[in-house]
Amino acid sequence: MRLYVVDAFTDRAFAGNPAGVVLLDEPVDAEWMRHVAAELRHADTAFVVLGEEPKPLRWFTPLAEVNLCGHATLATTHVLGGSHVFTTRVGELRCESRDGWVHLDLPADVPVPASDDVSALLPGVGIEDVTRTSADILVRAATAGQVRAVEPDLAGPAVLEVPCGVTVTAPGDRPGLDFVSRVFAPKVGIPEDPVTGSAHCALAPYWAERLGRTELVGEQASPRGGIVGMRLRGDRVHLSGQAVTVFAGSLNC
């Protein structure tokens, strides 16, 4: 089986979000996929079956299977090249690699108001708003500087109250940036995710409502960092980004 490691949402190696991509000729056992993901230790590893159309696509963190992973989908499309339809837990995803960019058509995840108290989890953050997505808590901070500087208490009891992860965001602080964000998901083995496509499926409708625009650019301000382009089209979010293959080989197990 062919294995790739791809840095997604970046145009240079060792930036963006690394993802494993495993190309399968036929479906395999879920426990085996989980072991491979744990071995690779990336935030997510994608497993795509090439012998079927649409192509089945699944994503695993080092600890669990997830319903949607944008950066590993981008990495998969980058590896395959061209246009593809993937069948997933969240329905069919139409993706295309063209002219050095990858374009993803993903379902929007519109946040709803919430009353969660996450102040203990996010020391030093002036919390302006708290909403919930399908799996995460979305917190708007007072400033981009607070987002860039926050060191969440991932070992404290407040983590137990988070359903999956927490996204922290604020208006952009640089030309061309509509907002900045960071994503923490220790419950699924990801202390901080470098660049999170699925989070931008919620960030796009969140900021579109507040900024009055449906075309946005966000920076995920993790240490590796990445830029995500977004277009909100009804109940879909079109994400765009670049990717770099840093490893290509084979699995021997």
Side-chain angles (χ1 to χ4, degrees), residues 69-104:
C69 178
H71 86 278
T73 304
L74 188 149
T76 302
T77 308
H78 168 77
V79 166
L80 297 178
S83 300
H84 301 275
V85 179
F86 302 114
T87 180
T88 76
R89 282 185 168 187
V90 295
E92 288 190 349
L93 308 181
R94 298 181 181 275
C95 306
E96 181 181 22
S97 178
R98 183 181 72 248
D99 300 327
W101 287 79
V102 176
H103 306 278
L104 311 178

Side-chain angles (χ1 to χ4, degrees), residues 3 13 19 39 43 49 66 68 70 73 78 115 130 132 155-156 158 167 181 220 252:
L3 167 66
E39 184 79 8
V49 181
V66 295
L68 176 64
T73 304
H78 168 77
S115 58
V130 179
R132 278 201 179 221
T167 299
S181 66
Q220 195 154 330
N252 299 316

Side-chain angles (χ1 to χ4, degrees), residues 115-201:
S115 58
D116 300 83
D117 182 2
V118 293
S119 56
L121 180 64
L122 301 170
V125 171
I127 296 173
E128 300 285 314
D129 186 28
V130 179
T131 56
R132 278 201 179 221
T133 70
S134 61
D136 299 337
I137 294 174
L138 176 60
V139 178
R140 188 174 86 239
T143 68
Q146 292 176 353
V147 174
R148 296 182 186 279
V150 66
E151 296 183 6
D153 182 12
L154 299 181
V159 170
L160 300 176
E161 304 301 321
V162 178
C164 178
V166 58
T167 299
V168 189
T169 187
D173 56 353
R174 296 174 185 170
L177 289 182
D178 294 300
F179 62 85
V180 299
S181 66
R182 290 173 70 190
V183 176
F184 307 94
K187 277 192 174 180
V188 291
I190 308 171
E192 179 169 6
D193 199 26
V195 192
T196 315
S198 59
H200 286 81
C201 292

